[in-house]
């Protein structure tokens, strides 16, 4: 493919042809900046035609894995170490930009009429807008392709031109055959999970509070199986944050939810108009508020994992 022979439309069409396959497996590393902290994830994606997807996200520091899986029955967020899954009726992965899904990258490019193409050595760089409905600060991305128009680097920028998400693709395999049973949610059940879960008992406090919000108090309730901590925050943007160690079911558990699946910075959770719940490192978290916007709910949640502050 000679230099100077592609415009942005040609490049996008070539990319589309390259990924128009029955299946693929992709691996890479994703780095996400959240509250001045950097999170590293090992990512593995499997895709089978007819909208079957499976994306495994493993935090490199904690080794904590969560899986987003889509099959003909719905979308699941699975935590293998806790033997649990939430089921959604969702448009994922097309309800938001996803830097680790090839079809999502193509969708972003095809829906931007002002894609910018840059050629550098034997690489092609396409710059486009992005769609992160719950994170308005993320505005654009640069996708770097090799000379055969396969991507190997995706960088997502905020409105200040700073990279917030970096995804480096290590491998793309179009040869290894995938079957529908590879996308069965119950196949991710963990058989000896209790040995894999390391949970901090320390209470975690949010580092981000909306202007005018202050910490009101803390209450600890000992339940039959665990300890529940309830933090209350008052002011114009009041909310309640609840956290507790996740109980481990004996059998794989699937819970149907009516919320929206969101992946915001380091939070993979379930969002409604008035609440957000997510699981991280063996603990369940819930934020309930009549006052916070969706993005404020997510900003508070993302800040809870920065550090723990003793009282």
């Amino acid at each position: 493919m000679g230099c100077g022979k592609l415009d942005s439309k040609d490049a996008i069409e070539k990319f589309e042809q390259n990924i128009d396959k029955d299946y693929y497996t992709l691996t890479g590393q994703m780095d996400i900046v959240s509250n001045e902290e950097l999170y590293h994830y090992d990512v593995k994606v499997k895709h089978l035609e007819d909208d079957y997807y499976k994306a495994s996200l493993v935090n490199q520091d904690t080794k904590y894995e969560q899986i987003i899986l889509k099959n003909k029955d719905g979308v699941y967020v699975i935590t293998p170490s806790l033997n649990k899954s939430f089921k959604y009726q969702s448009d994922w992965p097309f309800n938001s930009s996803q830097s680790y899904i090839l079809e999502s990258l193509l969708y972003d490019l095809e829906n931007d009429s002002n894609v910018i193409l840059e050629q550098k050595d034997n690489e092609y760089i396409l710059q486009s807008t992005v769609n992160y409905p719950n994170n308005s600060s993320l505005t654009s991305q640069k996708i770097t392709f090799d000379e055969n128009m396969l991507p190997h680097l995706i960088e997502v920028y905020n409105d200040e031109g700073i990279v917030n998400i970096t995804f480096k693709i290590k491998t793309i395999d179009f040869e290894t055959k995938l079957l529908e049973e590879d996308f069965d949610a119950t196949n991710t059940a963990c058989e000896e999970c209790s040995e894999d879960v390391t949970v901090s008992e320390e209470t975690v406090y949010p580092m981000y509070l909306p202007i005018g919000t202050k910490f009101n108090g803390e209450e600890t309730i000992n339940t039959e199986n665990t300890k529940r901590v309830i933090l209350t925050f008052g002011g114009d943007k009041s909310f309640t944050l609840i956290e507790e160690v996740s109980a481990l079911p004996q059998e794989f558990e699937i819970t149907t939810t009516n919320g929206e699946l969101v992946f915001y910075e380091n939070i993979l959770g379930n969002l409604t108009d008035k609440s957000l719940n997510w699981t991280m490192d063996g603990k369940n978290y819930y934020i309930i508020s009549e006052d916070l916007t969706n993005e404020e709910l997510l900003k508070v949640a993302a800040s809870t994992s920065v550090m723990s502050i003793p009282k």
Side-chain angles (χ1 to χ4, degrees):
M1 183 182 297
C3 291
K5 293 185 179 180
L6 284 183
D7 59 19
S8 61
K9 183 179 179 181
D10 292 333
I12 295 169
E13 288 179 353
K14 179 64 175 176
F15 175 39
E16 181 177 18
Q17 292 169 8
N18 283 340
I19 66 173
D20 185 18
K21 311 290 186 183
D22 291 340
Y23 37 76
Y24 68 76
T25 301
L26 175 153
T27 65
Q29 176 179 307
M30 181 167 58
D31 299 328
I32 300 176
V33 176
S34 176
N35 297 289
E36 299 183 356
E37 295 287 322
L38 187 59
Y39 295 86
H40 308 284
Y41 294 89
D42 289 323
V43 179
K44 185 173 184 178
V45 176
K46 294 181 178 181
H47 169 55
L48 177 66
E49 61 181 348
D50 297 327
D51 287 337
Y52 286 76
Y53 288 93
K54 183 178 181 180
S56 165
L57 309 169
V58 180
N59 186 304
Q60 289 184 358
D61 296 318
T62 65
K63 306 306 178 185
Y64 187 71
E65 179 183 23
Q66 290 189 286
I67 295 169
I68 312 175
L69 183 146
K70 182 175 185 178
N71 60 27
K72 64 179 183 298
D73 298 319
V75 175
Y76 302 80
V77 172
I78 303 164
T79 306
S81 63
L82 297 178
N83 229 14
K84 290 183 178 181
S85 171
F86 287 97
K87 182 182 178 183
Y88 299 80
Q89 291 302 318
S90 171
D91 292 330
W92 183 87
F94 297 107
N95 58 345
S96 171
S97 295
Q98 313 287 346
S99 59
Y100 50 92
I101 302 288
L102 298 182
E103 288 75 16
S104 179
L105 297 177
L106 177 63
Y107 186 83
D108 285 340
L109 293 171
E110 290 182 333
N111 283 275
D112 184 352
S113 59
N114 296 304
V115 172
I116 298 172
L117 171 65
E118 176 187 355
Q119 297 182 5
K120 186 176 180 181
D121 298 327
N122 292 322
E123 296 180 329
Y124 296 87
I125 302 171
L126 290 175
Q127 181 175 337
S128 76
T129 57
V130 289
N131 174 37
Y132 287 90
N134 294 304
N135 193 343
S136 58
S137 68
L138 299 180
T139 58
S140 65
Q141 66 185 355
K142 288 185 178 180
I143 309 170
T144 303
F145 297 82
D146 63 22
E147 59 184 356
N148 297 313
M149 283 308 298
L150 282 174
H152 62 83
L153 175 65
I154 297 91
E155 298 168 302
V156 181
Y157 294 80
N158 65 16
D159 48 15
E160 297 179 349
I162 299 171
V163 177
N164 274 198
I165 302 172
T166 302
F167 182 52
K168 297 178 181 177
I169 297 177
K170 296 179 180 178
T171 63
I172 303 176
D173 176 8
F174 295 108
E175 302 299 326
T176 303
K177 187 174 182 179
L178 299 173
L179 303 172
E180 286 188 16
E181 47 260 44
D182 296 319
F183 300 85
D184 183 343
T186 59
N187 286 344
T188 62
C190 181
E191 308 220 345
E192 298 178 354
C193 297
S194 57
E195 299 179 4
D196 298 331
V197 182
T198 302
V199 182
S200 171
E201 295 288 341
E202 190 172 9
T203 301
V204 176
Y205 301 84
M207 302 297 103
Y208 165 80
L209 295 178
I211 295 174
T213 301
K214 62 179 182 179
F215 177 65
N216 278 353
E218 175 179 336
E219 179 183 6
T220 300
I221 299 174
N222 291 314
T223 66
E224 182 179 350
N225 298 317
T226 185
K227 180 178 73 171
R228 180 177 301 148
V229 178
I230 303 172
L231 309 176
T232 56
F233 297 81
D236 294 338
K237 296 281 190 176
S238 63
F239 65 91
T240 300
L241 171 61
I242 302 168
E243 54 189 82
E244 62 184 351
V245 175
S246 180
L248 188 67
Q250 294 298 314
E251 297 182 355
F252 186 67
E253 181 179 281
I254 297 178
T255 303
T256 300
T257 177
N258 293 321
E260 174 191 357
L261 167 61
V262 291
F263 188 15
Y264 178 96
E265 297 185 354
N266 55 317
I267 299 297
L268 180 58
N270 177 42
L271 178 68
T272 73
D273 288 340
K274 305 297 182 184
S275 69
L276 173 69
N277 63 275
W278 72 102
T279 301
M280 180 176 289
D281 299 334
K283 293 178 75 173
N284 296 329
Y285 297 86
Y286 311 84
I287 299 178
I288 305 166
S289 176
E290 295 286 332
D291 303 323
L292 298 182
T293 65
N294 285 354
E295 192 158 344
E296 286 170 337
L297 281 168
L298 289 159
K299 287 181 73 172
V300 171
S303 75
T304 57
S305 59
V306 174
M307 62 177 63
S308 302
I309 298 181
K311 289 185 66 66

